[in-house]
Amino acid sequence: MLFSSGDERNRETSTGTIKECMERLFMLALSMVPGIGNIGAKRILSHTGSAEAVFKLDRRSLLRLPGLGALLADRMLDSSVIDRARGELEFTRKNGI
């Protein structure tokens, strides 16, 4: 778990609430999964409600999503996707992008 309480997630930061920042992180991570694309991401989000919810699913739950096979499920479960997204956000923050 990234934060310990719901109250903490609603705290304001310079770029919005922590909850908004986390959703931005997970949206970026979803866009970085090879093979997902814009249409696939929209389809996944229509079933899960948020990008954060996608990354909380286990493999079995991911495989139940329409159009998501074993290869994409495994790619989404790879923790390096979140690490790369976190790195991108940190880079943009440091460079004022």
Side-chain angles (χ1 to χ4, degrees):
M1 180 174 220
L2 298 171
F3 294 97
S4 59
S5 72
D7 292 338
E8 178 68 15
R9 291 173 51 91
N10 292 320
R11 192 186 64 174
E12 287 289 327
T13 69
S14 62
T15 57
T17 65
I18 292 175
K19 184 176 182 178
E20 292 166 341
C21 293
M22 295 305 297
E23 185 62 14
R24 200 172 304 127
L25 168 69
F26 289 112
M27 283 294 291
L28 181 58
L30 183 58
S31 74
M32 295 175 94
V33 175
I36 294 291
N38 290 335
I39 293 171
K42 287 178 184 178
R43 185 177 52 244
I44 291 167
L45 291 171
S46 74
H47 289 278
T48 61
S50 75
E52 184 174 3
V54 173
F55 288 96
K56 289 183 176 181
L57 296 175
D58 61 17
R59 189 172 195 276
R60 176 178 278 172
S61 298
L62 285 170
L63 290 171
R64 286 190 207 126
L65 296 174
L68 199 72
L71 180 62
L72 288 178
D74 291 340
R75 288 177 179 172
M76 293 175 72
L77 291 169
D78 183 349
S79 63
S80 70
V81 125
I82 299 291
D83 295 338
R84 287 193 328 264
R86 189 174 284 121
E88 280 292 315
L89 289 177
E90 184 63 21
F91 176 83
T92 59
R93 185 189 66 76
K94 283 182 179 177
N95 293 288
I97 299 172

